[in-house]
Amino acid sequence: MAPSTAEMNGISSVSLALQSVLASLEDSKAENIVPIDLRGKSVIGDHMVIASGRSHRHVTAVADQLLRALKESGQGNGVKVEGLASGDWVLIDTGDIIIHIFRPEVREFYNIEKMWQAPELDGETVH
């Protein structure tokens, strides 16, 4: 398959997908959006994005809007979703990007940013 115009200009499809995810989260008024670069830290994906919604309903709405945006941009194939029914913590896995959308209390309890933003030890994969 031939590279896209964006890829020929040095912008990977993963970077475009990450920009799309961040834009959707901002549009839906998600709070405390934190992108984390996982390249070289883990094989589970290239990026992780952590965000908060204000309530169960807001978390679900943010996730729904993001899923629609991924589908509309052609990145919705094979996306896995967990936790949409409860609205406490929704996990969306696109393969390259893992998105966590939390209620603030749940986010504070699990504090996964701390784990993933920890410095690497001797250049080895830590996670």
Side-chain angles (χ1 to χ4, degrees):
M1 174 163 44
S4 68
T5 305
E7 289 171 324
M8 291 186 323
N9 289 330
I11 303 171
S12 73
S13 59
V14 175
S15 294
L16 290 173
L18 179 61
Q19 290 174 6
S20 175
V21 165
L22 295 173
S24 174
L25 292 171
E26 295 225 1
D27 286 348
S28 59
K29 306 291 189 246
E31 298 175 344
N32 301 319
I33 302 166
V34 177
I36 300 170
D37 190 342
L38 296 179
R39 293 172 292 185
K41 292 182 181 179
S42 177
V43 296
I44 64 169
D46 291 337
H47 298 278
M48 181 179 292
V49 178
I50 303 168
S52 295
R54 294 179 299 278
S55 64
H56 295 280
R57 187 179 299 224
H58 188 223
V59 167
T60 302
V62 168
D64 281 337
Q65 181 171 323
L66 177 56
L67 291 167
R68 275 194 307 276
L70 289 168
K71 189 174 184 178
E72 289 171 4
S73 67
Q75 301 161 19
N77 295 339
V79 170
K80 296 174 184 70
V81 181
E82 296 288 333
L84 195 57
S86 73
D88 280 327
W89 174 1
V90 177
L91 169 70
I92 300 172
D93 186 351
T94 71
D96 293 320
I97 304 169
I98 300 161
I99 304 104
H100 299 273
I101 307 166
F102 291 98
R103 278 189 316 105
E105 303 81 26
V106 178
R107 181 175 180 171
E108 184 178 335
F109 178 79
Y110 286 103
N111 197 13
I112 64 175
E113 290 105 318
K114 183 177 180 182
M115 176 177 65
W116 287 104
Q117 291 178 327
E120 289 190 36
L121 305 172
D122 298 329
E124 296 179 19
T125 300
V126 214
H127 308 289

